[in-house]
Amino acid sequence: MLMAEVPWAYKKVVAMGWSDQEHLLIALEDGRILVFDIHGKEVSGFNIFGTAPGLLILEAHFWGNGVAVMGSDMQVHVAEGLAHVEPTFEPRAYR
């Protein structure tokens, strides 16, 4: 039985995963992290690189309430608090 359908207008998905709150988490190459509820409604989204221009996600891994990505600047960028409609985090970069 089909529960939901998501009309897709995005390109270059790097990774997908589920949060502990059963939200679908999607990392796009351009740095956007999208959060959808179980019915396919987009509930939030943000750019893990903030306002840094030109960075790309090379690899992404999700866990219960967060995401870690390897950026094209060869730093690991981390965001937590994805369960909230507006994530309360400051992306951190690790060298």
Side-chain angles (χ1 to χ4, degrees):
M1 176 169 89
L2 180 65
M3 289 182 62
E5 240 178 25
V6 179
W8 201 252
Y10 306 103
K11 295 182 180 181
K12 299 189 179 181
V13 172
V14 175
M16 299 172 74
W18 291 96
S19 72
D20 287 343
Q21 295 74 28
E22 297 182 354
H23 287 125
L24 176 62
L25 308 172
I26 300 173
L28 302 178
E29 184 184 52
D30 65 3
R32 287 181 289 169
I33 307 296
L34 306 175
V35 182
F36 292 87
D37 69 14
I38 198 162
H39 301 291
K41 178 184 173 205
E42 188 172 346
V43 293
S44 69
F46 61 94
N47 191 309
I48 195 152
F49 301 126
T51 59
L55 292 178
L56 300 174
I57 293 177
L58 303 178
E59 187 175 339
H61 294 278
F62 297 100
W63 70 90
N65 195 30
V67 60
V69 306
M70 173 64 76
S72 57
D73 58 355
M74 294 302 150
Q75 293 186 34
V76 176
H77 300 262
V78 177
E80 296 176 286
L82 301 182
H84 307 288
V85 174
E86 289 295 323
T88 54
F89 69 92
E90 290 185 27
R92 299 182 307 243
Y94 298 93
R95 295 176 191 232

